Amino acid sequence: MHYVKAKGILSSQNGMNLYRGCQHGCIYCDSRSRCYHIEHDFTDIEVKENAIELLEHALKRKRRKCMIGTGAMTDPYLPLEMEIGNTRKALELIDRYGFGVTVHTKSCRVLRDIDLLQKINRKTKAVVQMTLTTFDEELCRKIEPNVSTTGERLAALKEFQAAGIPTVVWLSPILPFLNDTRENISGILRMCSEAGVYGVICFSMGLTLREGNREYFYAQLDRLFPGIKERYIRIYGNQYIIDSPNNKALMQLFHETCGRCGMVHDNDRIFEYLHKFEDKAQNAQMTLWDLQI
């Protein structure tokens, strides 16, 4: 890892990335794309040494409370987070200043901060977003080698459910010829239902490939699944959006299953939920006032 001094920490949409790069080794990672201008080795994690100072300054200056998000580009619960602790320090500030939060991860290390997430969720809203890609544990270890397995992520989702913390699952990416099966999609959605997730985000049954992540992905396909790369090149060429040949049928299965299980499956509705700040204390007072009237 190496340290840099950042100029800012919150995006225009109130998202933050405390680190750049990743240690998880997922074979499909879009963050490897050259358009993100990560000039250092992807596994040499860039740590923003002044991130916590910048975040406190930003939160103090905000006129209105809002949801703060983390995990869009780099998982906030990389192994080195357990040593550095910037994600936990950020959650402490978010709690102190009364903001809401949503964290997006593939790691059950997020359970370390369940106490802080509960504190935030009692006052406003704390949402844990978890990515799930495959119901098959063996396949999971191949395509996501250094991260919590699907089973471990399911166990974490259930712990958050028991703690009253809402969860959202990202069903992505779905890799053609590897995990684009009815069995896989049904298995993942069954797990989501068991864990009581609020909703499941899915844009399509596929993935995106562009310069940077395409080359890494193809190299890993050659290593792990000989012959699959040639099928991609033959069918998709240099396309950015790679939809499974089974996309239409699997999306129908997705929407039907979510609807039957009571899980929100409209992406816009879920994003609206994730971005909406809720003041539970004020809502409780208004409810009490309504009862008195």
Side-chain angles (χ1 to χ4, degrees), residues 96-123:
R96 185 186 310 162
Y97 289 99
F99 286 78
V101 72
T102 176
V103 296
H104 190 175
T105 184
K106 293 178 188 168
S107 175
C108 60
R109 294 184 190 92
V110 63
L111 287 169
R112 178 202 65 181
D113 295 334
I114 194 170
D115 59 329
L116 273 172
L117 292 167
Q118 278 184 301
K119 281 183 68 179
I120 295 168
N121 195 57
R122 279 195 289 268
K123 292 182 290 186

Side-chain angles (χ1 to χ4, degrees), residues 56 59-60 65 89-99 116 119-120 123:
E56 182 161 25
L59 295 181
K60 282 180 177 179
K65 299 291 194 257
K89 293 170 188 173
L91 290 176
E92 289 171 341
L93 285 178
I94 289 167
D95 175 50
R96 185 186 310 162
Y97 289 99
F99 286 78
L116 273 172
K119 281 183 68 179
I120 295 168
K123 292 182 290 186

Side-chain angles (χ1 to χ4, degrees), residues 151-278:
E152 290 168 338
R153 285 177 244 177
L154 171 63
L157 287 169
K158 288 182 175 180
E159 286 201 45
F160 285 116
Q161 178 193 31
I165 295 170
T167 56
V168 166
V169 162
W170 286 69
L171 180 58
S172 66
I174 301 301
L175 312 179
F177 321 123
L178 292 176
N179 63 343
D180 59 337
T181 65
R182 293 183 66 86
E183 179 186 19
N184 184 52
I185 303 306
S186 295
I188 292 174
L189 294 177
R190 186 164 59 250
M191 296 169 76
C192 292
S193 180
E194 288 175 12
V197 305
Y198 168 81
V200 184
I201 293 172
C202 182
F203 291 96
S204 70
M205 299 296 169
L207 76 158
T208 57
L209 291 178
R210 49 189 161 188
E211 189 180 5
N213 79 314
R214 179 185 287 110
E215 292 81 358
Y216 184 81
F217 179 63
Y218 280 172
Q220 300 311 306
L221 288 183
D222 274 343
R223 182 175 66 88
L224 297 166
F225 311 100
I228 296 292
K229 179 186 78 174
E230 285 70 27
R231 294 180 70 182
Y232 273 77
I233 294 172
R234 185 174 68 253
I235 297 171
Y236 303 108
N238 286 326
Q239 287 178 210
Y240 168 50
I241 297 176
I242 311 295
D243 278 338
S244 163
N246 305 320
N247 179 53
K248 185 176 181 180
L250 292 179
M251 286 302 293
Q252 182 177 352
L253 173 66
F254 164 72
H255 288 298
E256 288 176 353
T257 304
C258 287
R260 187 170 61 251
C261 295
M263 298 183 292
V264 179
H265 49 107
D266 179 294
N267 294 338
D268 290 339
R269 182 178 164 191
I270 297 173
F271 285 128
E272 182 181 355
Y273 171 76
L274 292 173
H275 284 97
K276 184 179 180 181
F277 176 80
E278 298 177 12

